[in-house]
Amino acid sequence: MIIWPAYLDSRKSRSEGRRVPLEYAVESPTASEILRAARKLQLEASMESDRAYPPSWWESSGRVVVEYNGKKSELLPKIARLVRSSRKR
């Protein structure tokens, strides 16, 4: 399963790629933050930093590849909450 930072970005609209509600979204999340959150959930994950989200191909944001058997719609809010809580510290 691939997770792009745009999925969690509060600055993006749903049509621009955000997949979580604004209450969970984070401003400008990075692939490394997503990777740490996925590993905190004890998921096997790796980061590909040289990749760009296809709709915004000019921004090299990177992506995280996660081994997860459930639904992406269940996993994304969990990761977004962990990224948000890690920033509050």
Side-chain angles (χ1 to χ4, degrees):
M1 176 181 307
I2 294 172
I3 301 175
W4 295 97
Y7 291 172
L8 311 177
D9 195 342
S10 64
R11 297 175 309 143
K12 296 200 180 287
S13 65
R14 289 280 189 166
S15 63
E16 291 173 323
R18 182 174 44 84
R19 291 195 176 188
V20 296
L22 274 175
E23 63 187 82
Y24 301 133
V26 181
E27 188 173 329
S28 303
T30 64
S32 59
E33 288 176 316
I34 294 169
L35 179 66
R36 279 195 300 271
R39 288 186 174 160
K40 199 171 212 178
L41 291 171
Q42 298 180 348
L43 299 172
E44 193 166 318
S46 62
M47 184 172 67
E48 297 175 346
S49 57
D50 60 333
R51 301 297 179 152
Y53 185 51
S56 55
W57 53 269
W58 58 92
E59 298 174 7
S60 183
S61 61
R63 68 181 184 184
V64 178
V65 180
V66 178
E67 293 294 324
Y68 185 70
N69 293 328
K71 293 182 180 180
K72 188 180 279 191
S73 61
E74 294 171 354
L75 179 61
L76 290 177
K78 292 177 186 176
I79 289 180
R81 279 189 225 118
L82 284 173
V83 170
R84 179 173 271 206
S85 68
S86 73
R87 286 187 174 184
K88 287 183 179 178
R89 292 184 197 157

